[in-house]
Amino acid sequence: MRKLRTIEMKRLSVEEFHEAEKMPLVVVLDDVRSMYNVGSVFRTADAFRIEAIYLCGITATPPHAEIHKTALGAEDSVDWKYFPTAIVAVEQLRSDGYKVLSVEQCEGSTMLGTKDEGQGTKCEKVAIVLGNEVKGVHQEVVDASDGCLEIPQYGTKHSMNVSVAAGIVMWELLRVKNDE
């Protein structure tokens, strides 16, 4: 096997990305403090052609060198908006017809990878909320969500890096959408 060269991959230009059809998914970052995590989420959102990222509270916004270091320019291709709090973003998303799902360990959460995860998400606009690296998604945001998705974990830790969790959930929702 031979690795492909960048020119052989026929990637979209930033302009073509803006014009291309997107997965109807918005990623909401609730007080994410690491700009490297923010940049990583941008890069993954670009890879999966996600509609937008909503940056809330203390979450940094582009342009910033630390975001760019991991985003590698995806902060220019993926649409984003800033909101003073995640609850304001969730209220806007709900009024725009999105189903809002917090990615959090909650009573009654739906495990990612189960047959229940895709119920009500295949044909709808969906937003996922990911929280602060230490405190997770604010409880008031969980309360305002339509449900919670949980990533099954089998080791000794009870959490994952927020950008890794974002990538897992984006991929799984894209997979479910493509299976419809």
Side-chain angles (χ1 to χ4, degrees):
M1 268 188 251
R2 177 183 63 82
K3 287 175 45 175
L4 294 175
R5 295 176 308 168
T6 303
I7 197 162
E8 293 175 286
M9 293 183 210
K10 300 181 182 181
R11 299 290 187 203
L12 300 176
S13 68
V14 172
E15 295 77 23
E16 290 168 329
F17 184 95
H18 284 290
E19 297 299 319
E21 184 178 349
K22 310 290 186 305
M23 180 178 175
L25 174 63
V26 173
V27 176
V28 179
L29 299 181
D30 180 10
D31 282 343
V32 172
R33 62 184 180 184
S34 166
M35 288 184 259
Y36 297 125
N37 282 334
V38 174
S40 183
V41 171
F42 266 99
R43 192 162 156 194
T44 305
D46 175 278
F48 296 140
R49 213 182 300 160
I50 302 304
E51 185 177 328
I53 298 174
Y54 287 6
L55 307 167
C56 306
I58 67 167
T59 307
T61 61
H64 198 285
E66 287 182 32
I67 293 173
H68 181 73
K69 186 172 184 173
T70 50
L72 297 178
E75 71 276 28
D76 298 325
S77 57
V78 178
D79 289 339
W80 63 271
K81 293 181 185 177
Y82 175 78
F83 292 85
T85 65
I87 197 71
V88 173
V90 167
E91 289 168 356
Q92 179 66 54
L93 287 160
R94 304 262 333 247
S95 71
D96 291 341
Y98 285 81
K99 180 172 189 164
V100 178
L101 302 169
S102 287
V103 179
E104 191 59 83
Q105 297 163 333
C106 295
E107 294 173 346
S109 61
T110 300
M111 287 292 175
L112 208 61
T114 65
K115 62 180 178 158
D116 296 331
E117 86 182 26
Q119 289 184 347
T121 62
K122 287 186 178 182
C123 298
E124 295 181 39
K125 298 187 295 185
V126 177
I128 56 170
V129 183
L130 294 117
N132 175 275
E133 291 89 340
V134 175
K135 297 179 181 178
V137 178
H138 284 95
Q139 183 63 53
E140 69 177 348
V141 176
V142 170
D143 293 341
S145 297
D146 296 301
C148 289
L149 289 175
E150 185 175 336
I151 300 170
Q153 298 175 52
Y154 305 104
T156 61
K157 303 301 176 197
H158 66 276
S159 66
M160 291 183 172
N161 174 278
V162 65
S163 67
V164 172
I168 290 169
V169 175
M170 282 189 260
W171 167 251
E172 183 63 10
L173 293 179
L174 179 65
R175 188 191 64 75
V176 168
K177 177 100 173 119
N178 287 337
D179 283 350
E180 57 180 42

